[in-house]
Amino acid sequence: MNVFALFLPCAAGVEALLADEVAGILGREAAVRPARGGVCAQGDAEAVMRLNLESRLAQRVLVQLAEGDYRTEDDLYALARSVDWTAWIGTRQTIKVEVTAQRSPLRSLNFAALRIKDALCDRMREATGARPDVDTQRPDLRVMLHLTPSHATLYADTSGEPLFKRGWREDKGEAPLKETLAAAMLAAAGWRGTPEAGGALLDPCCGSGTIAIEAAQIACGIAPGLKRRFAFERLRPFASPEARARWAALKAAAQARIHPPRVPVFASDVAFRMVDFARRNADRAGVAHAIEFHGGDALQRPAPPLPAGLAGTLMMNPPYGERIAARGSVGRPGVQAEASSGRPGTRPHGARQEETALSDGFFERLAAHWKRHFGGWTAWVLSPDMKLAGRMRLKESRRVPLWNGPIECRLYRFDIVAGSPRPESAEAQQRSS
C-alpha cells in the first residue's frame, strides 16, 4: 500500500493529547508530530481507516496530496493540476473544494476554490473525457486547500462528516458540547475508564449527555467511529477487495473488544428534559447500561455511593443562565444562554450583568456543596472564566488551556477536601435567599 502524509486537525490546545492518541493507535513508527492546529503522521490506507475508527480527539483525517509555494491563483491551479485525481475518484462521483487560510494575500478564497475545482476537472477530462460534478452537501471527495501567506497545501478528506459526529446524537440542547472536546477534557484529566485511571465519573450538569457518553464508551472499550460511515469508503485508494476486507476486519475487531464498563458513570441535570435527551443518546451510543442518569440540582444531589477504594472524578462544562441555578431559586427565562457550551449566548440587552451574578453565586455554592459531600473526589471544570477559582473560593491544582470553538477556556482541576468552607459573603447569601 502507498504511504500517505497525514494531517489530523484538532481544537487548539489538544495537539499534544492528539499526538499521544495517534501514536497509541498507529505506533511510534508512524512519525507522529504535533503541529499548529493538529498532528502530522505517516501511514498507509489501513492507518487511515484505523484513525477514522479510533480517534476521539481529531476533527478529520486528511491525506496530503500536494504542496508548494504560491503567489497567485494560477499557481494554485498548477498545484492542483499536478495531482492524479483519477486515483481518487471516478467521473460519476462528486467533489467539493473548501479553503482555509492564515493571512493569505489572495483577495478571494472563493476564487481560489474555483481554480482548484477547474484544475481537478480539467485534469480528469483530459484523462477520461469526462469530469465529476460538484455536490456541496455530501460530496464523495472533499478537497481541502490550506493557505499560509506563501504556501499552499492540498488535502483529501477521508472522514466526510467531522469526526465529532459519532453517529448517535439526535437529541441535543441549545448548544451541545462537541464529542471531541468532551474526549479532550477526559484525556487532559488522565481519565481512562479504569479504577486506576480516574475511577468513577459524575457529570452533574450533563446536558444532552456528551461527557458521560464519551466516558462510558471509553469505560466499555467502544471505538468512537463504530456507528458511522466515512468518506474513504467511497474513495479509490480504499476500494480494492483487500482494503475492503481489512476495513471489515478492523470493525469486527472493534466490535469484539467491547466489554462491560470497568467503572461506574453517573450523570444528572436540573432540566429533566435534558436528562431524557441524554438517556436516548446513550441508548443509541450503546452505553445506556453503563450510565446511571438522574434529574436534580447540582447544588443538592449528594455523591453517589462508590465501592471501597474507588476514586471519584467530577467532570463538568457548566452552563450559564437558567439551567445553572438551583431549581426554584434563580433565573428569569429571559436570561437564557447556550446551555451546554459554557459560554454566554444570545441574551436580552442588559442581561450580562445579572447572568454573571447568577453564575458567581452558583459556583460559590457549588464549591461549598462539594466540600460537604464530595470530599476526596477530584473535580474538573471547563470554563472561559479565568477567575473561576476565585469565584469558587477554591485553589486549583492544575489548569489546562482548551478552546471551545473560538472561545478560549481553561480546564480547572480541584482536589476536593472535606470540611466546612469559609462563610458565604453577604452578597452570596442575599443571592441564595
Side-chain angles (χ1 to χ4, degrees), residues 24-86:
I25 295 171
L26 300 184
R28 300 290 171 179
E29 65 277 5
V32 179
R33 175 175 59 85
R36 180 177 180 178
V39 167
C40 299
Q42 292 182 348
D44 57 16
E46 181 178 331
V48 170
M49 298 174 191
R50 195 183 295 274
L51 287 168
N52 275 291
L53 178 63
E54 302 285 358
S55 178
R56 293 189 176 278
L57 303 177
Q59 295 171 343
R60 298 179 183 274
V61 180
L62 307 178
V63 173
Q64 182 177 304
L65 301 175
E67 65 171 337
D69 293 335
Y70 78 98
R71 294 181 62 186
T72 69
E73 291 85 357
D74 289 340
D75 298 324
L76 300 180
Y77 179 90
L79 184 68
R81 284 271 303 195
S82 71
V83 177
D84 179 10
W85 298 102
T86 61

Side-chain angles (χ1 to χ4, degrees), residues 2-22:
N2 294 330
V3 175
F4 300 118
L6 308 176
F7 182 70
L8 287 74
C10 64
V14 182
E15 293 90 345
L17 296 171
L18 177 57
D20 287 342
E21 180 190 61
V22 172

Side-chain angles (χ1 to χ4, degrees), residues 142-412:
R142 188 187 308 267
V143 178
M144 306 193 78
L145 170 68
H146 180 66
L147 300 174
T148 68
S150 61
H151 199 77
T153 310
L154 274 175
Y155 299 98
D157 172 26
T158 68
S159 301
E161 289 192 311
L163 292 181
F164 76 82
K165 296 187 177 182
R166 311 290 203 218
W168 52 258
R169 184 190 295 278
E170 293 182 15
D171 297 287
K172 56 187 178 180
E174 288 84 350
L177 184 73
K178 286 185 177 179
E179 290 80 346
T180 44
L181 182 56
M185 294 168 63
L186 293 164
W191 195 92
R192 297 184 179 88
T194 66
E196 301 78 23
L201 184 130
L202 165 64
D203 181 356
C205 294
C206 72
S208 57
T210 308
I211 293 174
I213 291 171
E214 281 293 308
Q217 287 200 329
I218 292 170
C220 293
I222 299 175
L226 196 55
K227 291 184 175 290
R228 56 162 284 171
R229 302 294 298 269
F230 300 96
F232 72 76
E233 297 178 70
R234 304 188 300 274
L235 300 178
R236 286 183 168 177
F238 311 90
S240 69
E242 295 81 5
R244 292 185 184 277
R246 190 56 194 151
W247 175 230
L250 288 173
K251 290 193 293 182
Q255 185 68 42
R257 74 163 188 258
I258 297 173
H259 53 73
R262 292 173 176 160
V263 293
V265 176
F266 306 92
S268 60
D269 197 277
V270 70
F272 285 86
R273 169 175 166 267
M274 298 307 298
V275 175
D276 185 50
F277 284 179
R279 282 197 180 102
R280 295 203 294 261
N281 285 332
D283 184 60
R284 284 186 290 269
V287 292
H289 66 289
I291 306 174
E292 186 175 317
F293 287 103
H294 295 280
D297 189 346
L299 302 178
Q300 297 173 1
R301 178 162 291 281
L306 301 181
L310 185 65
T313 297
L314 286 152
M315 180 76 64
M316 60 186 297
N317 173 42
Y320 289 157
E322 189 177 68
R323 278 182 55 238
I324 203 169
R327 182 176 297 279
S329 65
V330 180
R332 300 190 319 237
V335 186
Q336 181 74 32
E338 297 183 4
S340 296
S341 67
R343 64 183 185 273
T346 302
R347 60 177 69 78
H349 178 70
R352 180 186 296 272
Q353 183 175 356
E354 179 179 355
E355 195 171 76
T356 301
L358 293 177
S359 61
D360 285 352
F362 170 82
F363 286 119
E364 191 171 334
R365 286 176 283 150
L366 181 66
H369 177 69
W370 284 351
K371 287 185 176 183
R372 294 189 187 100
H373 298 284
F374 288 84
W377 284 59
T378 300
W380 295 84
V381 183
L382 183 70
S383 174
D385 186 351
M386 301 302 167
K387 298 181 179 179
L388 179 68
R391 300 188 196 283
M392 298 189 74
R393 308 174 81 191
L394 294 173
K395 180 174 177 57
E396 80 272 18
S397 57
R398 189 180 171 198
R399 58 167 68 189
V400 181
L402 290 176
W403 288 73
N404 187 354
I407 308 300
E408 184 178 6
C409 298
R410 295 293 183 271
L411 180 64
Y412 295 88

